[in-house]
Amino acid sequence: MKIVVTGGCGFIGSNFVHYLLKNTKHEIINLDTLTYAGNPDNLKDIEKNDRYRFVHGRIEDKKLVSDQFKDVDYLVNFAAESHVDRSILDPMPFITTNIEGTATLLEACRNSSIKKIVHISTDEVYGELGESGKFVESLPLLPNSPYSASKASADLIIRAYHETYGLPVTTARPSNNYGYYQYPEKFIPLSITNLLEDKQIPVYGEGKNVRDWIFVGDCCEGIATILDRGKAGEVYNLGGESEKRNIDIVRIILKLLGKDESYIKFVKDRPGHDYRYALDNTKIRDGLGWAPKVNLEAGLAKTVDWYKNNHSWWRPLKERLARENKGFWS
Ligand SMILES: NC(=O)c1ccc[n+]([C@@H]2O[C@H](COP(=O)([O-])OP(=O)(O)OC[C@H]3O[C@@H](n4cnc5c(N)ncnc54)[C@H](O)[C@@H]3O)[C@@H](O)[C@H]2O)c1
Protein backbone atom coordinates (compact mmCIF):
# COMPACT_ATOMS: atom_id res chain seq x y z
CA MET A 1 0.00 0.00 0.00
CA LYS A 2 1.04 3.60 -0.55
CA ILE A 3 0.83 5.79 2.54
CA VAL A 4 1.32 9.51 3.13
CA VAL A 5 2.67 10.31 6.58
CA THR A 6 2.66 14.02 7.40
CA GLY A 7 5.06 15.42 10.00
CA GLY A 8 7.28 12.35 9.62
CA CYS A 9 10.40 14.30 10.62
CA GLY A 10 8.98 15.10 14.06
CA PHE A 11 9.08 13.02 17.22
CA ILE A 12 6.19 10.54 16.91
CA GLY A 13 6.11 10.76 13.10
CA SER A 14 9.75 9.66 12.71
CA ASN A 15 9.23 6.79 15.15
CA PHE A 16 6.16 5.81 13.11
CA VAL A 17 8.06 5.89 9.79
CA HIS A 18 10.69 3.59 11.35
CA TYR A 19 7.87 1.36 12.63
CA LEU A 20 6.23 1.13 9.17
CA LEU A 21 9.46 0.29 7.39
CA LYS A 22 10.21 -2.45 9.90
CA ASN A 23 6.73 -3.95 10.26
CA THR A 24 4.93 -3.43 6.93
CA LYS A 25 5.64 -3.42 3.21
CA HIS A 26 4.06 0.02 2.68
CA GLU A 27 5.58 2.59 0.39
CA ILE A 28 5.89 5.81 2.43
CA ILE A 29 5.69 9.45 1.38
CA ASN A 30 6.68 11.80 4.21
CA LEU A 31 5.24 15.30 3.76
CA ASP A 32 6.90 17.72 6.18
CA THR A 33 7.73 21.41 6.10
CA LEU A 34 10.61 21.06 8.57
CA THR A 35 9.71 23.57 11.26
CA TYR A 36 12.11 23.91 14.21
CA ALA A 37 10.64 20.55 15.40
CA GLY A 38 11.12 18.72 12.11
CA ASN A 39 14.55 17.15 11.90
CA PRO A 40 15.73 15.18 8.83
CA ASP A 41 18.39 13.57 11.07
CA ASN A 42 15.57 11.57 12.70
CA LEU A 43 15.30 9.59 9.44
CA LYS A 44 18.92 9.74 8.27
CA ASP A 45 19.29 5.96 8.59
CA ILE A 46 16.43 5.27 6.14
CA GLU A 47 16.56 8.22 3.71
CA LYS A 48 17.96 5.98 0.94
CA ASN A 49 15.42 3.20 1.48
CA ASP A 50 13.56 2.69 -1.82
CA ARG A 51 10.21 2.42 0.01
CA TYR A 52 10.66 5.94 1.42
CA ARG A 53 10.30 9.36 -0.22
CA PHE A 54 10.46 12.82 1.36
CA VAL A 55 8.34 15.72 0.10
CA HIS A 56 9.17 19.13 1.51
CA GLY A 57 6.07 21.26 2.00
CA ARG A 58 3.20 22.45 4.14
CA ILE A 59 -0.05 20.60 4.73
CA GLU A 60 -1.94 23.87 4.04
CA ASP A 61 -0.53 23.99 0.50
CA LYS A 62 -3.62 22.92 -1.49
CA LYS A 63 -1.87 22.11 -4.76
CA LEU A 64 1.07 20.31 -3.24
CA VAL A 65 -1.21 18.25 -1.00
CA SER A 66 -3.68 17.28 -3.72
CA ASP A 67 -0.77 16.30 -6.01
CA GLN A 68 0.32 13.78 -3.35
CA PHE A 69 -3.07 12.05 -3.14
CA LYS A 70 -3.39 10.87 -6.73
CA ASP A 71 -2.90 7.14 -6.05
CA VAL A 72 -2.47 7.00 -2.29
CA ASP A 73 -4.18 4.35 -0.14
CA TYR A 74 -3.67 5.72 3.39
CA LEU A 75 -2.91 8.97 5.20
CA VAL A 76 -1.66 9.35 8.78
CA ASN A 77 -1.58 12.99 9.87
CA PHE A 78 0.99 13.85 12.53
CA ALA A 79 1.90 17.31 11.19
CA ALA A 80 1.19 19.93 13.83
CA GLU A 81 2.51 22.69 15.97
CA SER A 82 2.72 20.69 19.17
CA HIS A 83 4.18 22.69 22.07
CA VAL A 84 1.67 24.18 24.54
CA ASP A 85 4.11 26.84 25.79
CA ARG A 86 4.72 28.09 22.25
CA SER A 87 0.95 28.23 21.65
CA ILE A 88 0.59 30.55 24.65
CA LEU A 89 3.28 32.90 23.30
CA ASP A 90 1.94 32.84 19.71
CA PRO A 91 -1.28 30.96 18.86
CA MET A 92 -1.52 31.80 15.14
CA PRO A 93 0.82 29.09 13.73
CA PHE A 94 -1.28 26.57 15.69
CA ILE A 95 -4.48 27.82 14.07
CA THR A 96 -2.92 27.71 10.60
CA THR A 97 -1.26 24.30 10.74
CA ASN A 98 -3.50 22.37 13.10
CA ILE A 99 -6.87 23.63 11.81
CA GLU A 100 -6.40 24.95 8.26
CA GLY A 101 -3.74 22.33 7.50
CA THR A 102 -5.95 19.45 8.64
CA ALA A 103 -8.90 20.83 6.65
CA THR A 104 -6.71 21.12 3.54
CA LEU A 105 -5.69 17.46 3.87
CA LEU A 106 -9.33 16.41 4.26
CA GLU A 107 -10.32 18.38 1.16
CA ALA A 108 -7.58 16.68 -0.86
CA CYS A 109 -8.75 13.29 0.45
CA ARG A 110 -12.38 14.09 -0.42
CA ASN A 111 -11.32 14.45 -4.04
CA SER A 112 -9.28 11.25 -4.10
CA SER A 113 -9.83 7.52 -3.80
CA ILE A 114 -8.07 7.24 -0.45
CA LYS A 115 -9.12 4.21 1.61
CA LYS A 116 -8.22 5.18 5.19
CA ILE A 117 -7.15 8.27 7.11
CA VAL A 118 -5.88 8.31 10.69
CA HIS A 119 -5.66 11.72 12.32
CA ILE A 120 -3.47 12.13 15.42
CA SER A 121 -5.28 14.21 18.02
CA THR A 122 -4.43 14.42 21.74
CA ASP A 123 -5.88 13.73 25.19
CA GLU A 124 -5.62 17.49 25.83
CA VAL A 125 -8.81 18.13 23.81
CA TYR A 126 -10.89 16.85 26.75
CA GLY A 127 -9.73 19.60 29.11
CA GLU A 128 -8.64 18.69 32.62
CA LEU A 129 -9.57 16.16 35.27
CA GLY A 130 -9.72 16.50 39.05
CA GLU A 131 -8.30 13.88 41.41
CA SER A 132 -10.39 11.03 39.99
CA GLY A 133 -11.96 9.73 36.77
CA LYS A 134 -10.65 9.15 33.27
CA PHE A 135 -11.40 10.60 29.85
CA VAL A 136 -13.63 8.43 27.65
CA GLU A 137 -14.11 9.08 23.94
CA SER A 138 -17.74 10.21 24.30
CA LEU A 139 -16.94 13.21 26.53
CA PRO A 140 -17.42 16.74 25.19
CA LEU A 141 -14.29 18.61 24.13
CA LEU A 142 -13.27 21.34 26.61
CA PRO A 143 -9.76 22.45 25.57
CA ASN A 144 -7.97 25.07 27.68
CA SER A 145 -4.84 26.12 25.75
CA PRO A 146 -4.51 27.54 22.22
CA TYR A 147 -2.75 24.26 21.32
CA SER A 148 -5.53 21.99 22.61
CA ALA A 149 -8.22 24.28 21.17
CA SER A 150 -6.61 24.03 17.72
CA LYS A 151 -6.47 20.23 18.04
CA ALA A 152 -10.10 20.05 19.23
CA SER A 153 -11.17 22.22 16.29
CA ALA A 154 -9.51 19.79 13.88
CA ASP A 155 -11.29 16.87 15.59
CA LEU A 156 -14.66 18.56 15.01
CA ILE A 157 -13.89 19.26 11.34
CA ILE A 158 -12.90 15.60 10.96
CA ARG A 159 -16.15 14.48 12.53
CA ALA A 160 -18.07 16.69 10.09
CA TYR A 161 -16.17 15.33 7.05
CA HIS A 162 -17.00 11.80 8.10
CA GLU A 163 -20.67 12.54 8.80
CA THR A 164 -21.18 14.78 5.76
CA TYR A 165 -19.01 13.23 3.06
CA GLY A 166 -18.47 9.73 4.45
CA LEU A 167 -14.71 10.29 4.52
CA PRO A 168 -13.04 7.15 5.99
CA VAL A 169 -11.30 8.99 8.82
CA THR A 170 -10.48 7.71 12.31
CA THR A 171 -9.07 9.76 15.18
CA ALA A 172 -6.39 8.62 17.64
CA ARG A 173 -6.06 10.51 20.94
CA PRO A 174 -2.72 9.58 22.53
CA SER A 175 -1.60 10.64 25.98
CA ASN A 176 1.82 12.22 26.62
CA ASN A 177 4.49 10.40 24.62
CA TYR A 178 8.12 10.02 25.60
CA GLY A 179 11.03 8.21 23.96
CA TYR A 180 13.64 8.60 21.23
CA TYR A 181 13.91 11.72 18.99
CA GLN A 182 11.72 13.97 21.16
CA TYR A 183 12.65 17.64 20.82
CA PRO A 184 14.43 18.71 24.01
CA GLU A 185 11.99 21.54 24.81
CA LYS A 186 9.47 18.93 26.03
CA PHE A 187 9.39 17.95 29.69
CA ILE A 188 11.12 14.53 29.70
CA PRO A 189 13.93 15.18 27.16
CA LEU A 190 14.48 18.64 28.66
CA SER A 191 14.89 17.05 32.09
CA ILE A 192 17.27 14.34 30.84
CA THR A 193 19.42 16.64 28.69
CA ASN A 194 19.63 19.34 31.40
CA LEU A 195 21.01 16.74 33.82
CA LEU A 196 23.44 15.50 31.16
CA GLU A 197 24.60 19.15 30.91
CA ASP A 198 24.77 19.35 34.73
CA LYS A 199 21.94 21.91 34.78
CA GLN A 200 18.81 22.09 36.95
CA ILE A 201 15.41 20.81 35.80
CA PRO A 202 12.68 23.50 35.65
CA VAL A 203 9.43 22.18 37.17
CA TYR A 204 6.20 24.15 36.80
CA GLY A 205 4.43 25.16 40.05
CA GLU A 206 4.93 22.49 42.66
CA GLY A 207 5.21 19.65 40.13
CA LYS A 208 1.84 18.24 41.13
CA ASN A 209 0.27 18.13 37.65
CA VAL A 210 -0.50 14.57 36.60
CA ARG A 211 0.02 13.17 33.10
CA ASP A 212 -0.61 9.71 31.65
CA TRP A 213 2.67 8.67 29.93
CA ILE A 214 3.02 6.37 26.92
CA PHE A 215 6.25 5.07 25.38
CA VAL A 216 6.42 6.21 21.76
CA GLY A 217 6.89 2.63 20.46
CA ASP A 218 3.60 1.63 22.10
CA CYS A 219 1.89 4.70 20.63
CA CYS A 220 3.15 3.81 17.12
CA GLU A 221 1.84 0.27 17.52
CA GLY A 222 -1.53 1.69 18.63
CA ILE A 223 -1.71 3.99 15.61
CA ALA A 224 -0.82 1.07 13.30
CA THR A 225 -3.59 -0.96 14.96
CA ILE A 226 -6.10 1.83 14.32
CA LEU A 227 -4.93 2.09 10.70
CA ASP A 228 -5.33 -1.66 10.32
CA ARG A 229 -8.58 -2.36 12.19
CA GLY A 230 -10.07 0.95 13.41
CA LYS A 231 -13.61 1.79 12.38
CA ALA A 232 -14.11 4.88 10.19
CA GLY A 233 -15.72 7.77 12.06
CA GLU A 234 -14.58 6.48 15.48
CA VAL A 235 -12.24 8.00 18.05
CA TYR A 236 -9.78 5.82 20.01
CA ASN A 237 -7.96 6.86 23.18
CA LEU A 238 -4.33 5.68 23.30
CA GLY A 239 -3.47 5.88 26.99
CA GLY A 240 -0.25 4.59 28.48
CA GLU A 241 -1.82 3.48 31.79
CA SER A 242 1.06 5.25 33.56
CA GLU A 243 -0.21 8.21 35.53
CA LYS A 244 2.46 10.18 37.37
CA ARG A 245 2.92 13.62 38.88
CA ASN A 246 5.61 15.65 37.10
CA ILE A 247 7.69 15.75 40.27
CA ASP A 248 7.68 11.94 40.42
CA ILE A 249 8.88 11.71 36.80
CA VAL A 250 11.71 14.11 37.72
CA ARG A 251 12.66 11.95 40.71
CA ILE A 252 12.85 8.81 38.53
CA ILE A 253 15.09 10.62 36.02
CA LEU A 254 17.29 12.04 38.80
CA LYS A 255 17.77 8.51 40.14
CA LEU A 256 18.55 7.07 36.70
CA LEU A 257 21.25 9.72 36.23
CA GLY A 258 22.60 9.56 39.80
CA LYS A 259 21.67 13.15 40.73
CA ASP A 260 20.09 14.56 43.90
CA GLU A 261 17.10 16.88 44.45
CA SER A 262 19.25 20.04 44.37
CA TYR A 263 18.85 19.70 40.58
CA ILE A 264 15.13 20.55 40.85
CA LYS A 265 14.19 24.21 40.19
CA PHE A 266 10.52 25.10 40.76
CA VAL A 267 9.41 27.84 38.33
CA LYS A 268 6.27 29.99 37.91
CA ASP A 269 3.38 27.81 36.72
CA ARG A 270 2.20 27.80 33.10
CA PRO A 271 -1.02 29.88 32.63
CA GLY A 272 -4.13 27.65 32.37
CA HIS A 273 -2.05 24.59 33.26
CA ASP A 274 -4.39 21.56 33.20
CA TYR A 275 -4.16 19.70 36.49
CA ARG A 276 -4.58 16.09 35.40
CA TYR A 277 -5.03 13.93 32.30
CA ALA A 278 -5.84 10.21 32.31
CA LEU A 279 -7.19 8.16 29.43
CA ASP A 280 -9.60 5.26 29.56
CA ASN A 281 -8.30 2.67 27.09
CA THR A 282 -11.17 0.23 27.21
CA LYS A 283 -12.46 0.93 23.70
CA ILE A 284 -9.22 0.09 21.88
CA ARG A 285 -8.26 -2.69 24.34
CA ASP A 286 -11.56 -4.54 23.96
CA GLY A 287 -12.41 -3.48 20.43
CA LEU A 288 -9.06 -3.75 18.61
CA GLY A 289 -6.89 -5.78 21.01
CA TRP A 290 -4.19 -3.14 21.60
CA ALA A 291 -2.64 -2.35 24.97
CA PRO A 292 0.58 -0.58 25.97
CA LYS A 293 3.49 -2.94 26.70
CA VAL A 294 6.35 -0.82 28.02
CA ASN A 295 6.17 0.06 31.69
CA LEU A 296 7.11 3.62 32.66
CA GLU A 297 10.28 2.87 34.62
CA ALA A 298 11.65 0.59 31.85
CA GLY A 299 10.68 3.10 29.14
CA LEU A 300 12.32 5.97 31.00
CA ALA A 301 15.51 3.93 31.48
CA LYS A 302 15.61 3.20 27.71
CA THR A 303 14.96 6.88 26.96
CA VAL A 304 17.71 8.08 29.31
CA ASP A 305 20.14 5.65 27.64
CA TRP A 306 19.17 6.91 24.20
CA TYR A 307 19.85 10.57 25.11
CA LYS A 308 23.13 9.53 26.80
CA ASN A 309 24.20 7.82 23.57
CA ASN A 310 22.99 10.53 21.18
CA HIS A 311 24.58 13.80 22.33
CA SER A 312 25.25 14.77 18.71
CA TRP A 313 21.50 14.61 17.99
CA TRP A 314 20.26 16.82 20.84
CA ARG A 315 23.15 19.23 21.55
CA PRO A 316 22.58 21.44 18.47
CA LEU A 317 18.85 21.57 19.33
CA LYS A 318 19.61 22.73 22.88
CA GLU A 319 22.01 25.37 21.54
CA ARG A 320 19.27 26.60 19.21
CA LEU A 321 16.76 26.74 22.08
CA ALA A 322 19.23 28.77 24.17
CA ARG A 323 19.72 31.21 21.27
CA GLU A 324 15.95 31.55 20.78
CA ASN A 325 15.52 32.18 24.52
CA LYS A 326 11.74 31.77 24.37
CA GLY A 327 11.42 32.36 28.12
CA PHE A 328 9.52 29.16 28.92
CA TRP A 329 10.39 27.72 32.34
CA SER A 330 11.81 31.01 33.74
N1 LIG B 1 4.24 14.37 21.70
C1 LIG B 1 3.18 14.05 22.42
O1 LIG B 1 3.28 13.74 23.61
C2 LIG B 1 1.81 14.02 21.78
C3 LIG B 1 0.73 13.54 22.54
C4 LIG B 1 -0.53 13.48 21.96
C5 LIG B 1 -0.70 13.89 20.65
N2 LIG B 1 0.35 14.38 19.94
C6 LIG B 1 0.12 14.78 18.54
O2 LIG B 1 0.91 13.93 17.75
C7 LIG B 1 1.37 14.61 16.58
C8 LIG B 1 2.86 14.53 16.51
O3 LIG B 1 3.42 15.11 17.70
P1 LIG B 1 5.00 15.27 17.87
O4 LIG B 1 5.27 15.39 19.31
O5 LIG B 1 5.68 14.22 17.08
O6 LIG B 1 5.23 16.69 17.17
P2 LIG B 1 6.57 17.39 16.71
O7 LIG B 1 6.41 18.83 17.04
O8 LIG B 1 7.76 16.66 17.23
O9 LIG B 1 6.57 17.19 15.12
C9 LIG B 1 5.67 17.87 14.29
C10 LIG B 1 6.14 17.66 12.85
O10 LIG B 1 5.19 18.29 11.97
C11 LIG B 1 5.89 19.09 11.02
N3 LIG B 1 5.02 20.21 10.65
C12 LIG B 1 4.63 21.24 11.46
N4 LIG B 1 3.83 22.08 10.77
C13 LIG B 1 3.70 21.56 9.52
C14 LIG B 1 3.00 21.97 8.36
N5 LIG B 1 2.26 23.09 8.34
N6 LIG B 1 3.09 21.19 7.24
C15 LIG B 1 3.85 20.07 7.23
N7 LIG B 1 4.55 19.64 8.30
C16 LIG B 1 4.47 20.38 9.43
C17 LIG B 1 7.16 19.55 11.74
O11 LIG B 1 8.17 19.95 10.84
C18 LIG B 1 7.50 18.29 12.53
O12 LIG B 1 8.28 17.41 11.77
C19 LIG B 1 0.83 16.04 16.69
O13 LIG B 1 -0.34 16.13 15.93
C20 LIG B 1 0.52 16.20 18.18
O14 LIG B 1 -0.53 17.12 18.37
C21 LIG B 1 1.61 14.46 20.48
Side-chain angles (χ1 to χ4, degrees), residues 17-272:
V17 169
H18 281 117
Y19 178 94
L20 287 180
L21 284 173
K22 191 166 166 211
N23 297 290
T24 71
K25 297 207 168 1
H26 298 332
E27 208 181 303
I28 303 156
I29 298 165
N30 171 15
L31 172 61
D32 197 308
T33 196
L34 302 178
T35 64
Y36 76 95
N39 187 346
D41 281 354
N42 297 6
L43 296 171
K44 213 174 184 164
D45 54 329
I46 56 102
E47 66 191 2
K48 295 209 167 70
N49 190 307
D50 57 12
R51 287 199 286 130
Y52 172 76
R53 183 159 67 85
F54 176 68
V55 176
H56 186 209
R58 301 189 67 85
I59 58 168
E60 318 87 274
D61 181 336
K62 285 184 190 137
K63 176 158 184 341
L64 177 78
V65 163
S66 56
D67 285 351
Q68 302 311 315
F69 286 100
K70 296 250 156 59
D71 55 350
V72 160
D73 301 290
Y74 303 149
L75 163 68
V76 181
N77 180 31
F78 292 95
E81 289 293 340
S82 70
H83 192 40
V84 175
D85 290 329
R86 287 181 190 258
S87 82
I88 294 167
L89 290 178
D90 183 11
M92 284 318 289
F94 290 73
I95 309 290
T96 307
T97 291
N98 300 359
I99 305 176
E100 193 187 325
T102 304
T104 307
L105 290 172
L106 296 175
E107 270 297 293
C109 290
R110 193 157 79 84
N111 297 310
S112 78
S113 55
I114 198 148
K115 298 181 183 76
K116 290 182 190 180
I117 305 157
V118 178
H119 173 75
I120 313 304
S121 177
T122 168
D123 57 357
E124 302 194 26
V125 296
Y126 295 115
E128 72 173 342
L129 290 165
E131 295 295 340
S132 62
K134 290 191 174 187
F135 294 130
V136 290
E137 290 85 347
S138 54
L139 282 171
L141 306 187
L142 295 170
N144 292 318
S145 71
Y147 164 68
S148 54
S150 68
K151 297 293 289 184
S153 306
D155 286 16
L156 294 178
I157 295 168
I158 282 164
R159 178 186 154 81
Y161 268 69
H162 175 261
E163 295 298 320
T164 309
Y165 306 116
L167 210 66
V169 54
T170 311
T171 301
R173 293 198 181 129
S175 53
N176 279 44
N177 276 242
Y178 67 98
Y180 320 141
Y181 300 109
Q182 187 167 27
Y183 198 81
E185 67 184 350
K186 300 280 170 76
F187 176 51
I188 287 181
L190 174 76
S191 302
I192 297 170
T193 56
N194 271 18
L195 292 183
L196 291 173
E197 294 177 309
D198 206 39
K199 290 183 187 152
Q200 286 184 303
I201 300 175
V203 177
Y204 279 133
E206 295 173 46
K208 289 183 177 162
N209 302 65
V210 177
R211 298 291 179 262
D212 174 8
W213 293 96
I214 183 168
F215 186 65
V216 67
D218 279 339
C219 183
C220 289
E221 206 172 84
I223 293 165
T225 303
I226 293 170
L227 182 63
D228 192 34
R229 307 193 282 284
K231 208 171 145 229
E234 295 292 323
V235 174
Y236 295 93
N237 284 345
L238 281 173
E241 299 171 2
S242 295
E243 269 188 65
K244 276 270 184 270
R245 296 185 311 170
N246 288 346
I247 191 68
D248 298 323
I249 293 283
V250 166
R251 290 195 173 117
I252 297 172
I253 294 172
L254 286 171
K255 199 165 164 206
L256 285 165
L257 285 164
K259 302 277 193 189
D260 62 34
E261 299 215 355
S262 66
Y263 281 86
I264 299 174
K265 181 184 172 200
F266 291 104
V267 297
K268 190 167 171 279
D269 208 353
R270 169 194 276 168

